[in-house]
Amino acid sequence: MKNLFIATTLCAFLGACNSQVATFQPGEIWYDTNQQMINAHGGGVMIHNGTYYWYGEYKGDSTYHAPGVEWDCYRTEAGGVSCYSSKDLQSWTFEGVVLKPELNDSTSDIHPSMVIERPKVIYNEKTGKYVMWMHIDNYNYSKAATGVAIADSPTGPFQYLHSLRPFGEESRDMGLFKDDDGRAYHIYSSRGNSTLFIHLLSDDYLEHTGQYSTNFAGKYREAPAVFKRGNKYYIISSGCSGWDPNEAEYAIADSMLGTWTVMGNPCIGENSNKTFGGQSTFVIPVNPAKDQYIAMFDKWNKLDLINSRYIWLPIRFHADSISIEWKDQWSTNDF
Ligand code: GAL
């Protein structure tokens, strides 16, 4: 850590880091370019005009157990959605809280007493809008809805539109995937988290179309992270054990709506049955032509949620199968 700090400080001083190769230290504290800990949990990365934008949950700095809720419901004040930008995936500049919480209206979906989780952003070429979808919930997660916000710039400000349950069905943990043909899909845990829905969005990405599939029924998959390689689609997901880690699983399909074939746990080696202590959130297609993809996981600290860490690891391909191995440190040269 000390070495990383010295390197970061030197880089900031000399302004010479852009030419260096990005080095990741999974599970360690990750500082932004202002030497503040990155606060972007359950996040995702949008690649846009040569810049990476990392959006995530901006967690409040005190964690408490939701009063009167029986399960392990630790929470923080919902601080909105943060955004960090980068050219190299390692050095991240804080762009601010791009979806601000609504502090003055306690009935708002985005009041700090609510839950704003797993935000993802995609750009709509037709409307020129940046569209964010997120999990919106109340203190005991019984609202089970999804919220949508739009902006004219990747760094916001995002305007919150509303929350909804897609075609009346619950929506909790979620992901978003924009395909090469411009179609976008909302992927969400529903029906008491037992079933993963994949739902085609409208052309403007603001509504659900009613064209959807129900997947892995009864398997309780959460934290979906979708990517595409060639003509194959992949979903990495977690099991359902709250903030505690469990075994990841991945599935492959020839089309987004399925049929999905379950392939097993992508993680290998020590602690792989607990996803190295992490939970999936997103896969960054860094350079698909060269099979360069990064799997993003959150390593939750349920008693101090703001102090949760990030685990970013490269995905390796073996024909259509994938594997993810722990690395204490790695760089984009190791792809
Ligand atoms: C997890 C979920 C997290 C958060 C947590 C609350 O299962 O993946 O995003 O909702 O439960 O306990």
Side-chain angles (χ1 to χ4, degrees):
M1 267 328 301
K2 201 168 144 207
N3 287 346
L4 177 69
F5 179 74
I6 292 168
T8 315
T9 313
L10 261 180
C11 284
F13 182 67
L14 298 171
C17 277
N18 278 351
S19 57
Q20 293 196 350
V21 176
T23 303
F24 303 96
Q25 299 196 312
E28 297 295 334
I29 293 178
W30 201 344
Y31 292 103
D32 68 11
T33 50
N34 287 324
Q35 274 65 62
Q36 302 296 311
M37 275 168 61
I38 293 178
N39 189 349
H41 308 274
V45 169
M46 177 178 73
I47 307 176
H48 190 63
N49 291 339
T51 300
Y52 299 100
Y53 296 94
W54 176 1
Y55 302 90
E57 302 157 16
Y58 194 69
K59 291 202 175 287
D61 55 12
S62 71
T63 299
Y64 58 96
H65 192 282
V69 183
E70 279 180 15
W71 53 282
D72 225 11
C73 188
Y74 291 98
R75 52 161 290 124
T76 59
E77 300 293 272
V81 176
S82 55
C83 175
Y84 294 79
S85 66
S86 175
K87 291 283 185 192
D88 66 1
L89 290 164
Q90 219 294 319
S91 163
W92 292 94
T93 300
F94 185 47
E95 299 287 353
V97 176
V98 295
L99 176 71
K100 297 213 174 350
E102 183 59 72
L103 301 179
N104 299 322
D105 177 3
S106 61
T107 66
S108 164
D109 284 348
I110 53 172
H111 185 263
S113 60
M114 298 290 281
V115 166
I116 305 173
E117 288 182 343
R118 300 191 176 274
K120 306 286 177 294
V121 175
I122 48 178
Y123 177 64
N124 189 298
E125 266 88 14
K126 289 187 182 138
T127 61
K129 300 282 184 196
Y130 300 83
V131 181
M132 177 189 293
W133 285 88
M134 70 212 94
H135 172 193
I136 293 288
D137 234 315
N138 55 348
Y139 75 103
N140 66 0
Y141 289 73
S142 60
K143 185 175 172 76
T146 185
V148 59
I150 52 171
D152 293 321
S153 146
T155 53
F158 279 81
Q159 181 200 348
Y160 185 74
L161 299 181
H162 52 245
S163 67
L164 58 108
R165 279 187 172 185
F167 282 71
E169 300 263 12
E170 290 180 345
S171 175
R172 291 198 182 86
D173 270 20
M174 56 147 279
L176 209 53
F177 177 72
K178 182 176 161 187
D179 207 343
D180 317 322
D181 60 5
R183 287 172 181 231
Y185 299 83
H186 182 213
I187 304 107
Y188 49 97
S189 304
S190 189
R191 300 188 178 162
N193 297 335
S194 69
T195 303
L196 194 70
F197 278 52
I198 302 178
H199 205 138
L200 178 68
L201 293 174
S202 55
D203 284 352
D204 59 10
Y205 303 163
L206 296 179
E207 283 171 33
H208 293 80
T209 55
Q211 207 179 325
Y212 63 85
S213 61
T214 54
N215 305 276
F216 319 121
K219 291 201 71 184
Y220 292 85
R221 304 313 299 172
E222 287 195 321
V226 172
F227 65 99
K228 188 179 189 182
R229 175 183 182 245
N231 293 322
K232 296 255 184 249
Y233 298 85
Y234 292 75
I235 291 184
I236 302 175
S237 65
S238 76
C240 191
S241 54
W243 301 114
D244 297 329
N246 54 52
E247 186 169 283
E249 188 172 272
Y250 78 105
I252 306 186
D254 293 323
S255 88
M256 261 308 278
L257 295 182
T259 309
W260 289 88
T261 304
V262 174
M263 303 292 287
N265 183 0
C267 301
I268 54 175
E270 200 182 328
N271 211 12
S272 56
N273 62 342
K274 293 275 190 252
T275 318
F276 316 117
Q279 186 184 30
S280 45
T281 183
F282 194 77
V283 171
I284 311 172
V286 179
N287 189 346
K290 292 191 172 165
D291 275 351
Q292 297 180 347
Y293 295 82
I294 296 178
M296 290 169 61
F297 303 91
D298 294 284
K299 186 179 179 187
W300 301 116
N301 180 344
K302 69 179 176 189
L303 300 179
D304 186 10
L305 282 163
I306 195 175
N307 264 315
S308 301
R309 305 268 185 267
Y310 313 101
I311 296 175
W312 289 20
L313 292 167
I315 296 179
R316 293 179 71 182
F317 294 89
H318 321 273
D320 286 338
S321 304
I322 63 170
S323 66
I324 302 172
E325 220 175 331
W326 177 259
K327 291 181 184 306
D328 289 335
Q329 181 166 323
W330 66 283
S331 83
T332 45
N333 276 349
D334 301 327
F335 271 123

